[in-house]
Amino acid sequence: MNGSLFQQMLEKGDYVPRFYAYYYKQWKDYQMPYHQHDSTEIMYMISGECRIDVKANDMEKSVTLKKGEFILLDAEVPHRLIVEKTTSCRMLNVEFGFMESAGKAPSLRQIMREEEEVMFLLNRPFTSLVLVDQEEVYPVLRSLVLELDRRGTDGRTMTHALFIQLLVCIARLYEERERSDVQQSELYIKRCVDFLHQNYDRPIQVKDVAAEVNLHPGYLHRVFRRGTGRTITEYLTGIRMEKAKMLLERTDIPIHEISDYVGVGSRQYFHLLFKKFTGSTPVEYRLQQDRNAWKYGEPK
């Protein structure tokens, strides 16, 4: 069977790990050709640094691994290792897949049921994943490799137990990182929204908001849209139109001046936006509010 972590059969059947390769290696001034495995690979950086190039979905991305970092590469993902002339690195590699359980050890399905972080990890497919160890993954990974050296790959109880511990450590690290990323994104979004509410009366571009929160405009756009369901421009327009409605309802500011109060420089564009947002022109909206006020005995 394919060695991917993201196979539906792993949730339906009883499968345990099967190890294909495991080794330490010192690399220096080396360029590996692109290749792929039918197994999942963990590359752990013990010392130094290197570059890993990964091809996926007709795109190529590069990541730099440093001491204490590791990458998970899913099965059948083309990748290569690059070590520059001026650097070197020492790595620990493990390649594994899955086989049907003989009933001697808990299956991956059982672990997924008992450890919600493992379920979280295995239900979010990736081609590659880079994580920073918190001094928890390497001791287990090292113990697993030593056990494989001593006892072989026949699927002994200790080997399975160490793999389970390794998978749980990785899953918890991933879940913690994802939770932290969500919290950070929420902070960025809050700062953006505060900035928009405080500056809606001025001309604002996405680059201005990005500068305020110290993020690249493209990245901020993705974070904001994912978190709010709207682009920054759409959100700003919503603020401006709500302010315009309030001013039309509660003040006597001339309609031709409202656009300046809400930061829309062109009066014609303001009228188009307002009609799109409310279904009425500013004039129609104010007249309707006046009629409602008289109807309920609350003249303005």
Side-chain angles (χ1 to χ4, degrees), residues 16-34:
V16 293
R18 178 183 179 184
F19 297 92
Y20 296 97
Y22 47 95
Y23 54 88
Y24 289 89
K25 178 64 177 173
Q26 184 83 19
W27 303 95
K28 185 175 182 180
D29 187 15
Y30 184 78
Q31 182 167 321
M32 184 182 291
Y34 271 106

Side-chain angles (χ1 to χ4, degrees), residues 277-288:
F277 192 83
T278 66
S280 305
T281 66
V283 172
E284 291 169 343
Y285 189 85
R286 176 165 274 177
L287 287 174
Q288 182 62 43

Side-chain angles (χ1 to χ4, degrees), residues 161-175:
L162 286 168
F163 176 80
I164 290 169
Q165 186 178 357
L166 175 66
L167 188 60
V168 170
C169 284
I170 291 173
R172 289 178 178 176
L173 198 61
Y174 174 67
E175 195 270 343

Side-chain angles (χ1 to χ4, degrees), residues 22 37 40 45 56 71 95 105 110 143 168 186 234 263 286:
Y22 47 95
H37 314 283
T40 297
M45 185 65 62
I71 185 170
E95 298 172 22
Q110 291 173 278
S143 296
V168 170
E186 289 174 349
E234 290 169 344
R286 176 165 274 177

Side-chain angles (χ1 to χ4, degrees), residues 58-210:
D58 298 322
M59 296 180 64
E60 181 177 315
K61 68 176 182 179
S62 297
V63 296
T64 299
L65 282 187
K66 298 181 180 180
K67 179 181 177 181
E69 298 178 342
F70 62 97
I71 185 170
L72 270 75
L73 292 158
D74 196 30
E76 310 297 344
V77 174
H79 61 280
R80 66 177 178 178
L81 167 69
I82 306 291
V83 184
E84 303 295 343
K85 293 181 179 180
T86 57
T87 61
S88 65
C89 69
R90 183 165 179 77
M91 301 181 72
L92 175 55
N93 287 51
V94 176
E95 298 172 22
F96 62 89
F98 300 94
M99 61 183 180
E100 290 191 59
S101 172
K104 297 180 180 180
S107 67
L108 192 60
R109 178 176 60 169
Q110 291 173 278
I111 304 307
M112 292 171 72
R113 288 175 178 174
E114 295 178 10
E115 300 289 341
E116 62 181 24
E117 293 93 346
V118 174
M119 179 69 81
F120 181 86
L121 172 69
L122 300 189
N123 280 299
R124 285 161 177 77
F126 53 77
T127 54
S128 63
L129 171 67
V130 176
L131 293 171
V132 180
D133 191 13
Q134 302 297 328
E135 300 183 357
E136 297 177 354
V137 171
Y138 180 65
V140 182
L141 187 61
R142 181 183 58 199
S143 296
L144 173 61
V145 170
L146 289 173
E147 186 68 20
L148 289 168
D149 270 339
R150 292 174 183 146
R151 304 294 184 180
T153 60
D154 295 334
R156 295 175 179 269
T157 301
M158 181 60 77
T159 303
H160 289 160
L162 286 168
F163 176 80
I164 290 169
Q165 186 178 357
L166 175 66
L167 188 60
V168 170
C169 284
I170 291 173
R172 289 178 178 176
L173 198 61
Y174 174 67
E175 195 270 343
E176 182 180 333
R177 192 197 72 174
E178 291 297 289
R179 185 172 64 246
S180 175
D181 286 350
V182 169
Q183 291 172 345
Q184 188 64 50
S185 295
E186 289 174 349
L187 177 61
Y188 285 133
I189 291 170
K190 181 181 183 304
R191 290 174 60 192
C192 287
V193 169
D194 288 347
F195 179 79
L196 295 176
H197 276 280
Q198 294 168 23
N199 295 276
Y200 66 85
D201 61 312
R202 302 190 297 122
I204 298 177
Q205 297 181 347
V206 174
K207 65 179 182 179
D208 302 319
V209 186

